[in-house]
Amino acid sequence: MKLSDFKFEVPKKLISLYPQENRDESRLMVVHRDTGEIEHRIFKDIIEYFDEGDVFVTNNTKVFPARLYGNKEKTGAKIEVFLLRELNQELRLWDVLVDPARKIRVGNKLYFGDSDLVAEVIDNTTSRGRTIRFLFDGTDEEFYKTIDTLGETPILKDFIDRKVEAEDRERYQTIYAEHVGAVAAPTAGLHFTPHLLKRLEIKGVEVSPITLHIGLGTFRQVDVEDLTKHKMDSENYNIPEKTVDYVNDALDQKRRVVAVGTTSLKTVESSVTASNRLKPSSGWTDKFIIPPYEFKIANALVTNFHLPESTLLMTTAAFGGYDLIMKAYQEAIKEKYRFFSYGDAMLIL
């Protein structure tokens, strides 16, 4: 498929700047692949579509406050540093993005607030990318606590056009977030509440986690018309054995296996046996799913409404079928669904 196949206009007013007050009261579009039917519901109604033995696979990655603001030595110029990934814990080496990049060269030092945190730039990786080494005398625990205190919630300001607020730290996090490592939230999971999870449990639906630490590469603009030439950044993942057992049992019983978010979908499709069953594994995946694609594990998907030409939309279209998903998106625009991270949800059956 081509990049231009995913080009359409979303009115700016439909890109949600704030989440719903109650997580599970976002709107839910239900798309039936077998009939093409489209329903309009509320997210907490999702329970009506599942029964005992079905499995929800959730991504329990936890977003860390990855955006720091520092000052360049000597000039005092304000510099934004976006932490992408830790390269070496012992040496405190990190891959980062810096802005404005033209002012930051190898050897420069950056100072963060009134803390003891200082960073030295040791390599250029891309036009905006740098490798930095944090100079900090405390323990690892004290270092991460300092990052947590100084850092800002990394909502994607290129798309959510407002300042970060204190409330974002709690709302830009799933209620089941556990393992720190993501620079963006698995947003399909933002709609779940403790009450809704309890109702699923009572109904006999298993909710079981995988971990995929989402990087900014997921949101990087695709700049090639031929989608087969687009290269995804690698992201670290883990699929525990307990989740594998639940998923494979559901597949054997011909039950629903629901990927909560395209990140969960990509993860389970990255670890498939020759007999089309899930296997426990951990490592890195750069899997990029575009139409056409034969899914081996998940047979239902919960996802948000993504922006045009995004890799997330392409993966959603691969799962739901290109024509049906494009039709659903036009319906969503007509019905004024809310788009992007803090927006509404879609269930594809």
Side-chain angles (χ1 to χ4, degrees), residues 279-315:
K279 62 182 178 183
S281 65
S282 61
W284 296 83
T285 179
D286 61 358
K287 195 172 187 67
F288 179 31
I289 300 175
I290 59 175
Y293 181 88
E294 183 183 344
F295 288 86
K296 313 297 194 304
I297 305 298
N299 49 43
L301 173 66
V302 180
T303 189
N304 275 29
F305 286 93
H306 308 296
L307 298 186
E309 300 182 305
S310 65
T311 62
L312 305 168
L313 172 60
M314 294 164 191
T315 297

Side-chain angles (χ1 to χ4, degrees), residues 145-176:
K145 186 175 181 181
T146 300
I147 295 290
D148 190 67
T149 300
L150 293 175
E152 181 181 273
T153 303
I155 64 170
L156 301 177
K157 295 191 291 185
D158 290 350
F159 308 110
I160 298 178
D161 188 17
R162 64 167 172 81
K163 290 185 177 180
V164 176
E165 299 173 8
E167 290 77 11
D168 288 311
R169 184 163 284 220
E170 182 266 330
R171 284 309 311 264
Y172 195 62
Q173 198 82 269
T174 64
I175 62 167
Y176 45 72

Side-chain angles (χ1 to χ4, degrees), residues 44 47 61 69 79 123 132 144 148 152 167 173 179 203 215 241 272 276 280 304 311 340:
K44 59 187 175 183
I47 193 170
T61 188
Y69 294 98
I79 305 295
D123 193 16
I132 65 173
Y144 293 120
D148 190 67
E152 181 181 273
E167 290 77 11
Q173 198 82 269
H179 300 294
K203 200 168 183 180
E241 196 158 340
V272 181
N276 290 341
N304 275 29
T311 62
F340 204 53

